Amino acid sequence: MVNHFPGFETFAMDFKETELTLGPPGEFRVSGRKSGKKRGFPEMLDLNLSGPNGRRNDSGAQLEQEASSSPKSPAAKEQLVGWPPLRASRKNAMRSGGSNYVKVAVDGAPYLRKVDLQMYISYEQLLKALEDMFCYFTIRNYFMEPMNGYEYVPTYEDKDGDWMMVGDVPWKIFVESCKRIRLMKGSEAAGLEPRTPPQNAVMEAAEEDSG
Amino acid sequence: MNYFPEEVLEHILDFVTSNKERNAVSLVCKTWYKVERESRYRVFIGNCYATNPERLIARFPRVKSLTLKGKPHFADFNLVPHDWGGFVDPWIKTLARACPGFEELRLKRMVVSDEILELLSKSFVNFKSLVLVSCDGFSTDGLAAIAANCRYLRELDLQENEVDDRSGHWLSCFPESCTSLVSLNFACLKGEINLSVLERLVARNPNLRSLRLNRAVPVETLQKIITKAHRLVDLGTGSFIHDPKSETYQKLKNAMSKCESIRSLSGFLDVAPHCLTAVYPICPHLTSLNLSYAPGINSNELIKLIRHCRKLQRLWILDCVGDKGLGIVAATCKELEELRVFPSDPFGPGNAAVTEEGLVAISVGCHKLHSLLYFCQQMTNAALITIAKNCPNFIRFRLCILDPAKPDPDTMDPLDEGFGAIVQSCKRLRRLSISGLLSDKVFLYIGTYAEQLEMLSIAFAGESDKAMLYVLNGCKKLRKLEIRDCPFGNMALLADVGKYETMRSLWMSSCEVTLQGCKTLARLMPKLNVEIINENDLWDEIPADDDRKKVEKMYLYRTLVGPRQDAPGFVWTL
């Protein structure tokens, strides 16, 4: 379907969503169901319902992206209602649990690393782990002043896309809002340096962490 | 036997506690029926719509304890619309009128309101025990009424309910005179709790044996509580995050090491790695451990913990434990009777997963195992055959392969032979859930060998109506059958309509059954309620004679009291 509208891709996807089908609207089920055929053995093998790309999503937009990117039947990647057979309370617990990997970039390092924020219970632990990971760097300990050119300032990108200094908010809030971490070279981070180190915020954070 | 005094009979019947046996007793003759019904105090009603409150009171006027179940089991997985039914109101209202001595209420999958909880709390002077499992419709205001008014309350047990948590003040409503608590479980509440009120409550209830806290209770409070509750046998922690280097941790570990009585441990609703070491002191005594709500603990930490738990009989855990971890369980927990392994990432394989290897290891090491719920990535026939040989004692066997209709990865065969081995070997099997790729053959095995089977759950399985018929014809003790996404249609549904009066209920969703088939069944069997759940507005526009339309969800059950009056608009009783 040739279409010269700007945002053609989006339009095509929306069109698909409004396409008339014989089945009821609402949640999708296994695509084979609509055809009314009895499910035979070879058809079963084609079902690929929860492969690594079968991520749950509530927003139609993300679903459409997957549909357009893979040549396979998009219906196969959709979520089945009530499957796996788990109570809602367990499903919710799972989603909030699991792992929370974020990328860690260090200025000047040739490649990035990843850490699971759920593995740590305090800033101290995280920064120690990062120091171990990038053992040839020293991460600036914001308790101390002043910093020299070899040290790095830990910063992170939050949910709003802003680059923040690590340590200002309580640990739990940090874990929830951190999307990626960047260890900034000391000299570059000069602008971020507060006149007085935010002792109180960090002390409160430390207390909260040990509580 | 010409003359047998009723008093003697009643005295003897006191020793018959199982309701199954009492039901049998009541069938002997009219006298025995009369004596039995007047002396039955605990009544169990597995489907609240099979009868009604008036009949309950008429037959068992002295009822003191009532267990009621409402929604079908698949409601747990969001397959039943929210307001389908299962309201407890008429039951409480009738009991309030007729049974002032009522003491104990246990509800599962029912709708409870704050008003009803208040009525309950004010109607029964001796009310002792409220257990709500998977219920909804109430808030902490209702709990406040229970706390305030039930002077002799022993048990308040809330398991997995959807509660509107308005504030933690309900806990303050327990008066100072409340000292009779034996069991308090509020783990499912999501809101804040007044911690000092909680501490004082525990301090003045020395008989507390079971205490399960919610996420809002931090480790500091837990530590204080443990030192005060000396008789605690069952503990559910709240949040379990602490720094292993902190003083709190030390205090907690000390408190734990003084706990001689704890046998059952659960909770860990928030936990970070390195926090589990605090509970090592009580692990050697534990018979029951539930870590299934604690994601984020890796396999090694779980293994380290489990090595301390040699006496475990029940273990609920996440699949992060891995096959290797299950091997350690098998080597350590020789007394294990019940195992549940839940998925930590239900929507993708991820790294954390268990396969058939873990379960085989368990079957080799844990010969006392009789109850299993196992979510896994894959299963093979060979493994199931081995498991069946190693563990012939299964009573409950529920296997969920996360990828629906997945075949044996080694042979690409269906898993018919594997499950066939299970039903053949496990002669005491009462509950079975099957998954993976399955043809009609497995159902032939089930119908042939599963003689004690009472409950069967099927999803994405089978090839034809014959499969369902094998089960209906073969499993004489079948009570509950639930089926989703299987190619079973009217032929299977209607082949033996009398069968359904011997069962509690049948659920079929996303199958091939049509409106015509359901209507026919309803016409033939007036003692069944055949309900169609139709959530979908479009259907109202389809002409009434389109009986060929497939039914999305059908739930039928035997009943003494005809169609229910409280069905919402989207439920049609045919």
Side-chain angles (χ1 to χ4, degrees):
Chain A
M1 174 168 154
V2 177
N3 194 310
H4 296 293
F5 295 140
F8 159 71
E9 253 188 324
T10 319
F11 178 82
M13 291 171 203
D14 288 342
F15 181 80
K16 196 168 167 57
E17 201 167 34
T18 59
E19 198 176 14
L20 292 177
T21 61
L22 284 178
E27 289 147 331
F28 290 105
R29 292 192 321 278
V30 179
S31 56
R33 178 77 184 80
K34 283 194 179 139
S35 68
K37 284 185 292 184
K38 288 191 177 146
R39 227 169 275 106
F41 174 54
E43 283 148 37
M44 301 275 215
L45 284 183
D46 288 339
L47 291 178
N48 180 18
L49 290 152
S50 58
N53 294 327
R55 288 267 144 225
R56 177 186 172 77
N57 53 77
D58 286 315
S59 67
Q62 198 179 341
L63 186 64
E64 313 291 13
Q65 277 168 24
E66 282 180 345
S68 64
S69 64
S70 99
K72 285 197 190 138
S73 142
K77 304 251 159 107
E78 286 149 19
Q79 212 78 118
L80 287 170
V81 179
W83 192 266
L86 282 173
R87 289 183 177 180
S89 54
R90 288 203 181 276
K91 278 192 174 161
N92 293 337
M94 298 309 111
R95 231 170 282 135
S96 64
S99 56
N100 186 0
Y101 279 98
V102 298
K103 291 181 185 172
V104 183
V106 177
D107 289 352
Y111 49 81
L112 278 61
R113 299 294 300 269
K114 261 194 165 169
V115 291
D116 181 359
L117 293 180
Q118 298 232 352
M119 297 300 293
Y120 312 102
I121 58 168
S122 67
Y123 285 116
E124 206 191 316
Q125 278 195 357
L126 170 65
L127 294 177
K128 179 79 179 53
L130 291 179
E131 269 189 12
D132 291 342
M133 223 181 223
F134 300 95
C135 55
Y136 39 96
F137 299 132
T138 312
I139 301 176
R140 181 188 173 278
N141 182 339
Y142 42 67
F143 281 117
M144 319 222 280
E145 47 178 329
M147 56 174 198
N148 64 44
Y150 299 124
E151 286 171 336
Y152 286 74
V153 177
T155 65
Y156 71 100
E157 184 184 5
D158 72 0
K159 277 187 180 153
D160 301 326
D162 297 321
W163 283 93
M164 319 284 291
M165 188 144 145
V166 167
D168 286 339
V169 299
W171 171 254
K172 273 190 196 156
I173 295 181
F174 165 73
V175 170
E176 273 163 35
S177 53
C178 171
K179 284 177 50 195
R180 53 197 309 168
I181 295 175
R182 178 181 163 203
L183 304 183
M184 264 180 161
K185 221 174 195 148
S187 47
E188 216 185 296
L192 287 179
E193 174 72 23
R195 291 273 141 76
T196 48
Q199 289 274 358
N200 287 342
V202 166
M203 292 311 269
E204 273 159 22
E207 268 162 20
E208 178 135 344
D209 295 340
S210 61
Chain B
M1 214 162 43
N2 290 327
Y3 175 62
F4 199 75
E6 284 185 12
E7 300 78 30
V8 177
L9 184 57
E10 191 176 326
H11 183 68
I12 296 175
L13 284 189
D14 269 349
F15 296 99
V16 181
T17 47
S18 135
N19 275 351
K20 228 178 184 176
E21 288 169 7
R22 282 190 152 250
N23 290 344
V25 158
S26 64
L27 291 174
V28 169
C29 65
K30 283 202 175 124
T31 308
W32 283 43
Y33 178 88
K34 175 171 170 287
V35 172
E36 195 283 314
R37 68 173 260 271
E38 283 170 0
S39 61
R40 191 182 304 203
Y41 300 112
R42 321 186 72 92
V43 178
F44 171 86
I45 297 177
N47 174 6
C48 64
Y49 291 120
T51 181
N52 63 27
E54 290 73 33
R55 295 180 71 112
L56 165 69
I57 304 297
R59 181 162 173 196
F60 301 116
R62 300 223 173 91
V63 59
K64 287 210 168 73
S65 162
L66 178 62
T67 303
L68 275 173
K69 296 189 181 180
K71 300 181 191 177
H73 175 231
F74 275 178
D76 281 353
F77 317 133
N78 292 335
L79 286 175
V80 177
H82 200 253
D83 26 6
W84 171 87
F87 306 102
V88 77
D89 301 53
W91 298 89
I92 305 301
K93 288 183 179 154
T94 305
L95 285 167
R97 260 189 302 108
C99 300
F102 190 67
E103 290 181 0
E104 179 178 301
L105 184 66
R106 313 167 80 89
L107 302 178
K108 188 167 189 180
R109 283 187 219 105
M110 294 200 69
V111 179
V112 181
S113 66
D114 287 343
E115 292 72 30
I116 276 298
L117 286 175
E118 190 171 351
L119 177 64
L120 177 71
S121 72
K122 291 182 172 156
S123 306
F124 310 113
V125 174
N126 266 341
F127 193 74
K128 295 204 169 69
S129 169
L130 180 63
V131 180
L132 302 177
V133 180
S134 299
C135 296
D136 63 272
F138 62 103
S139 79
T140 44
D141 292 350
L143 299 179
I146 298 285
N149 301 326
C150 299
R151 298 173 59 201
Y152 303 112
L153 193 68
R154 289 213 203 124
E155 180 175 25
L156 178 59
D157 185 359
L158 308 170
Q159 299 176 32
E160 317 236 17
N161 301 292
E162 292 277 323
V163 185
D164 180 12
D165 197 324
R166 296 203 182 141
S167 79
H169 98 281
W170 67 275
L171 210 56
S172 320
C173 294
F174 282 107
E176 286 303 311
S177 56
C178 168
T179 55
S180 51
L181 282 178
V182 172
S183 168
L184 178 61
N185 172 7
F186 58 93
C188 64
L189 295 186
K190 302 208 171 66
E192 295 303 312
I193 283 288
N194 186 323
L195 299 175
S196 54
V197 165
L198 176 62
E199 288 174 40
R200 288 203 303 275
L201 183 66
V202 172
R204 67 176 184 275
N205 282 280
N207 292 325
L208 261 181
R209 292 169 61 82
S210 170
L211 179 63
R212 296 192 183 190
L213 311 169
N214 76 344
R215 195 178 240 128
V217 181
V219 160
E220 293 81 2
T221 309
L222 175 67
Q223 173 259 315
K224 289 182 199 159
I225 284 176
I226 296 176
T227 47
K228 291 190 181 113
H230 301 289
R231 296 221 178 90
L232 218 49
V233 171
D234 169 32
L235 173 66
T237 72
S239 159
F240 205 74
I241 299 201
H242 56 80
D243 186 343
K245 293 195 280 253
S246 65
E247 196 190 329
T248 308
Y249 170 81
Q250 276 312 316
K251 281 192 194 164
L252 181 65
K253 199 156 188 190
N254 287 338
M256 288 278 178
S257 43
K258 297 206 183 90
C259 275
E260 308 273 287
S261 52
I262 295 184
R263 295 287 173 272
S264 165
L265 188 60
S266 63
F268 303 97
L269 304 171
D270 261 327
V271 64
H274 318 303
C275 290
L276 291 179
T277 49
V279 303
Y280 285 3
I282 54 173
C283 286
H285 315 305
L286 286 182
T287 56
S288 170
L289 177 61
N290 182 353
L291 290 169
S292 64
Y293 280 104
I297 306 179
N298 65 38
S299 173
N300 289 330
E301 280 211 66
L302 284 173
I303 289 174
K304 270 202 288 196
L305 180 72
I306 286 166
R307 283 197 203 273
H308 288 83
C309 304
R310 306 201 137 263
K311 292 212 180 124
L312 275 188
Q313 293 167 13
R314 182 195 300 151
L315 176 62
W316 291 23
I317 203 163
L318 290 173
D319 63 3
C320 340
V321 70
D323 286 331
K324 190 174 114 199
L326 289 177
I328 304 296
V329 172
T332 311
C333 309
K334 294 305 188 186
E335 305 297 312
L336 198 67
E337 297 178 18
E338 177 184 333
L339 174 66
R340 296 195 191 190
V341 181
F342 294 95
S344 51
D345 190 4
F347 303 116
N351 296 321
V354 293
T355 69
E356 75 277 7
E357 288 181 22
L359 192 55
V360 169
I362 291 281
S363 76
V364 170
C366 306
H367 292 142
K368 295 189 181 177
L369 194 65
H370 58 61
S371 292
L372 179 73
L373 172 60
Y374 195 74
F375 286 83
C376 59
Q377 297 298 323
Q378 62 181 48
M379 184 53 60
T380 64
N381 282 312
L384 282 172
I385 291 168
T386 304
I387 291 161
K389 223 183 320 197
N390 293 338
C391 287
N393 296 322
F394 276 118
I395 300 174
R396 297 170 201 93
F397 190 88
R398 294 192 279 164
L399 188 72
C400 179
I401 303 167
L402 289 167
D403 194 351
K406 184 170 180 168
D408 178 330
D410 293 342
T411 63
M412 299 315 271
D413 286 335
L415 292 174
D416 302 333
E417 298 307 313
F419 282 107
I422 294 283
V423 293
Q424 228 175 318
S425 165
C426 303
K427 307 222 186 299
R428 275 179 264 169
L429 194 66
R430 296 207 302 255
R431 183 170 181 184
L432 178 64
S433 297
I434 55 181
S435 60
L437 182 63
L438 295 162
S439 75
D440 286 350
K441 205 160 181 215
V442 69
F443 297 97
L444 176 58
Y445 288 138
I446 293 173
T448 308
Y449 296 111
E451 291 175 6
Q452 303 299 320
L453 195 65
E454 296 178 7
M455 181 170 178
L456 178 61
S457 309
I458 310 171
F460 305 101
E463 294 162 315
S464 76
D465 285 327
K466 283 195 289 191
M468 187 166 159
L469 283 178
Y470 291 143
V471 171
L472 290 176
N473 291 336
C475 299
K476 299 296 177 208
K477 296 206 174 166
L478 194 63
R479 291 190 298 116
K480 289 179 278 184
L481 180 57
E482 45 187 27
I483 305 173
R484 65 163 290 180
D485 291 276
C486 295
F488 307 148
N490 295 339
M491 201 277 271
L493 183 69
L494 297 172
D496 181 7
V497 294
K499 174 77 176 173
Y500 306 124
E501 271 189 6
T502 70
M503 292 167 54
R504 183 187 297 174
S505 64
L506 167 67
W507 167 282
M508 290 180 79
S509 61
S510 305
C511 297
E512 307 282 318
V513 169
T514 70
L515 190 53
Q516 178 62 54
C518 296
K519 282 184 177 174
T520 306
L521 178 56
R523 203 179 53 240
L524 289 172
M525 302 294 295
K527 287 224 180 96
L528 298 180
N529 278 354
V530 180
E531 295 187 8
I532 308 296
I533 296 172
N534 159 33
E535 296 165 87
N536 166 11
D537 288 334
L538 275 186
W539 226 16
D540 282 317
E541 295 161 17
I542 299 225
D545 61 359
D546 194 358
D547 286 350
R548 288 163 302 162
K549 182 108 182 109
K550 285 197 195 127
V551 162
E552 192 49 51
K553 293 174 183 170
M554 178 201 74
Y555 179 56
L556 66 83
Y557 52 90
R558 65 181 176 190
T559 178
L560 297 169
V561 295
R564 57 186 174 111
Q565 303 305 316
D566 62 3
F570 53 81
V571 173
W572 299 357
T573 308
L574 299 178

